[in-house]
Amino acid sequence: MARSLVIKVTAGADAPERCNQAFTVAAAALASGVPVSLWLTGEASWFALPGRAKEFGLPHAAPLTDLLDAVLAGGRVTVCTQCAARRDITVDDLIEGVRIAGAPTFVEEAVAEGAQALVY
């Protein structure tokens, strides 16, 4: 079975380098042919909404919108159920292609044969 990455990003604009690293690793893995599931939790949940990634900036880093678009084009993006609820984010608010799912789904993906989980 092929290796895959399950990446959970727990930071947003509150920790921009950590946030950007998660998106960069996800996009780089996809470009290398590695299947990726990117989980947006905590403050990163906001990036599931249209226009929010465009507001994020980090010097000497790829634009978050480009990285998110790359992950959406080739991987899966999920917002944590509880994180979305705490922010009043509903499925109707999300960028097309993003889903909402909970901890059981994350655990299922993270412990799947051949999966490697990373948390940022």
Side-chain angles (χ1 to χ4, degrees):
M1 172 174 275
R3 298 279 297 169
S4 64
L5 277 178
V6 180
I7 300 172
K8 180 186 273 194
V9 55
T10 62
D14 57 326
E17 287 186 282
R18 188 163 31 113
C19 175
N20 189 268
Q21 288 170 356
F23 280 84
T24 299
V25 168
L30 282 164
S32 299
V34 176
V36 170
S37 178
L38 179 65
W39 283 74
L40 306 178
T41 67
E43 288 301 297
S45 302
W46 294 115
F47 298 125
L49 302 178
R52 290 296 184 100
K54 186 178 274 192
E55 297 171 5
F56 180 92
L58 182 65
H60 309 290
L64 202 65
T65 54
D66 294 350
L67 298 172
L68 179 57
D69 287 346
V71 177
L72 283 167
R76 181 181 350 209
V77 179
T78 306
V79 178
C80 160
T81 302
Q82 291 180 359
C83 299
R86 279 190 283 276
R87 290 160 180 81
D88 294 321
I89 296 171
T90 69
V91 69
D92 294 330
D93 300 320
L94 302 177
I95 296 168
E96 185 175 339
V98 177
R99 68 178 180 162
I100 295 175
T105 304
F106 176 79
V107 170
E108 181 181 334
E109 289 184 12
V111 301
E113 185 176 343
Q116 173 68 52
L118 302 174
V119 179
Y120 286 88

